Structure formats: C-alpha cells, structure tokens
Amino acid sequence: MQSSTKKSASASAQDYALLRGIACDVATSAAEMIRVRRAEVFASPGGRDSDSVRSKTSETDPVTIVDVESETLVRESLARLRPGDGFLGEEATGNTEGASETGVVWVVDPIDGTVNFMYGVPAYAVSIAAQIDGKTVAGAVVDVPQGWVYSAALGAGATVSREGFGTRALHVSETESLGMALVSTGFGYKAERRIAQARLAGTLLPVVRDLRRIGAAALDLCLVAAGSLDAHVEHGLNPWDFAAGSLIAQEAGALVRIPPTSARSHEGELVLIATPKVYHELAGVLEEIGALGPIE
Ligand code: IPD
Ligand code: CA
Ligand code: CA
C-alpha cells in the first residue's frame, strides 16, 4: 500500500476482510471499556452534571470524558495494528486523515448516541469504518448495551454476531410500500436545524406506518440492515455517524444515498437509506418537498 490511488487499484477482498476484522475487534474492546466506565462515571444521576461532561456545538450537544477515552483507545489500537493509516475521529483527539501513508483512513464515532449513554437509554454504539479514497470498504458498529457486533466488508455481505449467540447474515426487510414502512429519523443539536427537521417529520408522519427517533444514527442504519426498520432519513449527519452503518445497510441490500466524507453537519446534506421499494417512494416524497438536497 503506497498511495491511495495505487491502493484502490490493488485493494482486494482479502484486504477488506482484514480491515473488517480489525474494526470488529477494536470496536468490541472500546465497547467493553465504555460499559465499565459508564458504571463508574454515570451510575448516579449526578454524573450528568459533573465535570465529566462538556458542551460542543450547542449547549445540548454533549461530549463526555468517556467519549474521549473511547476515541483514544480506538486511535491508539489502530495505530498499533495499522501504522501509517489515517484517522478521522469525531472528538479530534489526533486526526491525521490527510496524512495516510497507506491509503486507508479510519472514520470513527467513539460513542454514537452520547445523550442516550449519559441518560442510560440503552441505545449507543461504537462505530468504526475503514475508507479508501473516501469510500467505506469495511466497518463495524457495536451496540454497547446489548453487545451485538454488526459488520460488513465491501462485496462480502453484512452480519451481526454476539458471543454465545453466533453470527447471522443481515438482510433488509421486504416492505413494499412507504405506507407500511417504519422509518427512523434524527435531529441535530441546533434549534434552527430542528425547525426544518420537525417540518419534514410532520410531512412524513401521515404517510408512513410510524416514525422512530432512537438517538444513535449508526444503530438506526444497522436496524435497517437487520430489517427491524425499513428506512432511515436524516439531514446533517457527520461522516463518522454513517460511514460504517451505511456500508452495513448497503451490504444487507439497502439503497444508500450519503454525502461525501468531506461534508459536515452544518451543510445539512441528506442521508437516505432504505429497503429498495421504500427507498424509491421515500425519495419521491422528499423530492416533492425539496428535501433531497441539503436543509438549513
Ligand atoms: C448523534 C446521534 C443522533 C443523530 C445526531 C448525531 P452523537 O450522534 O447519531 O441519533 O440524530 O444527528 O449527532 O452526537 O451521539 O455522536
Ligand atoms: Ca454520532
Ligand atoms: Ca459521538
């Protein structure tokens, strides 16, 4: 692996399988650490008000000490296992994405669903994707409270596994119409963005089976992959929210529309991931209201 162009020309299924295994192992280790640290830091409700939490892009956008610890563990583990790869982590503890010597860049959300994590709502995850030329080729999402490991490699399908439960292949649902679709969405951390998102949710609610707001986009995408949801639609996600989950959903048969890895939340671009028939109908509704492109 010399340069990103050379690498992408020669990358093989074997390389992707190797990267997938590393993503699974490292995300599983981070999830174990997060479980232990949650009990230590957030066991009492007072943990939420302590100096273990600070705000990021708005007062309601938190980062906890455990988000930073998780990212550090992931970054250091990857550096040990894959020296020379680039790293793009949400908490920016040591990003080197522009300086990959191998063509591989790891895109990492150390805790997706931080608000759930703080409050003890059991829906938060570690998300790790390996990208080559901005395209995810392998990824893993570990559901921390349940211990489920979702993963995929490009062209190799998607699976979910858990110790003691074995491994099974993931397939999207066979839901055929938007009217019968269970659709998840999410909301950004800024009030202006939420006004536009609420308007969109108001348009969708009467035309779908129901809406869900689980609070961890990486998990939403894995649930689409597993057929437990029929679609996910959200504007303004960051690449670390969807990099691994979008490949997992795609490999499970979903149609996928995602922004480039260079796009950031403030640009308000759309992530639309759904089982095929629902995808087309949902895209039609979004087009009608001008929401296939970015929102404010
Ligand atoms: C958030 C979650 C949430 C989504 C937000 C994301 P974080 O990530 O994925 O479901 O609606 O847009 O920012 O902040 O918990 O890593
Ligand atoms: Ca996230
Ligand atoms: Ca996060």
Side-chain angles (χ1 to χ4, degrees):
M1 291 190 209
Q2 290 303 312
S3 69
S4 90
T5 328
K6 208 163 177 190
K7 175 63 203 165
S8 54
S10 62
S12 70
Q14 221 181 351
D15 294 331
Y16 301 163
L18 195 91
L19 296 171
R20 177 187 192 169
I22 289 172
C24 288
D25 291 348
V26 174
T28 300
S29 304
E32 276 160 17
M33 184 276 280
I34 290 166
R35 263 179 237 123
V36 172
R37 291 292 285 143
R38 181 166 201 287
E40 291 170 0
V41 180
F42 294 99
S44 68
R48 290 210 292 273
D49 307 315
S50 70
D51 54 11
S52 304
V53 182
R54 64 183 164 78
S55 297
K56 266 194 315 192
T57 60
S58 79
E59 211 187 329
T60 55
D61 178 8
V63 54
T64 76
I65 188 172
V66 189
D67 293 70
V68 174
E69 289 170 358
S70 172
E71 183 168 301
T72 303
L73 183 154
V74 170
R75 184 172 42 73
E76 291 178 352
S77 304
L78 291 173
R80 219 172 21 249
L81 294 164
R82 299 267 320 166
D85 287 357
F87 184 85
L88 172 63
E90 176 176 11
E91 309 311 340
T93 60
N95 284 347
T96 56
E97 72 271 29
S100 172
E101 294 163 18
T102 61
V104 175
V105 176
W106 294 93
V107 180
V108 174
D109 194 332
I111 300 182
D112 183 48
T114 296
V115 174
N116 288 342
F117 168 72
M118 286 168 55
Y119 277 73
V121 177
Y124 45 95
V126 179
S127 175
I128 301 184
Q131 295 196 331
I132 296 175
D133 290 338
K135 187 177 156 137
T136 302
V137 297
V141 173
V142 176
D143 175 332
V144 176
Q146 324 285 345
W148 292 107
V149 181
Y150 298 89
S151 75
L154 189 62
T159 58
V160 63
S161 59
R162 183 176 153 187
E163 223 178 285
F165 288 79
T167 298
R168 70 178 174 87
L170 293 171
H171 300 288
V172 293
S173 75
E174 291 181 3
T175 302
E176 298 211 344
S177 70
L178 186 57
M180 291 307 287
L182 188 58
V183 179
S184 58
T185 189
F187 307 121
Y189 288 109
K190 299 214 167 126
E192 304 74 31
R193 169 69 47 79
R194 285 181 173 187
I195 290 167
Q197 288 174 319
R199 214 176 293 129
L200 175 59
T203 304
L204 291 179
L205 194 51
V207 299
V208 298
R209 177 194 281 269
D210 209 343
L211 289 180
R212 292 289 180 269
R213 196 295 193 245
I214 289 169
L219 283 181
D220 289 313
L221 303 185
C222 292
L223 291 173
V224 173
S228 302
L229 291 170
D230 299 307
H232 183 75
V233 51
E234 182 166 355
H235 291 82
L237 287 174
N238 279 302
W240 41 82
D241 299 311
F242 62 78
S246 59
L247 178 69
I248 293 166
Q250 178 185 300
E251 288 293 324
L255 297 184
V256 166
R257 179 186 176 111
I258 50 173
T261 301
S262 56
R264 292 294 178 268
S265 177
H266 69 268
E267 293 166 56
E269 296 264 13
L270 172 68
V271 167
L272 172 59
I273 296 186
T275 190
K277 290 200 170 130
V278 171
Y279 180 96
H280 293 300
E281 234 186 302
L282 192 45
V285 172
L286 294 174
E287 190 167 22
E288 266 173 39
I289 59 169
L292 266 186
I295 62 168
E296 269 175 54

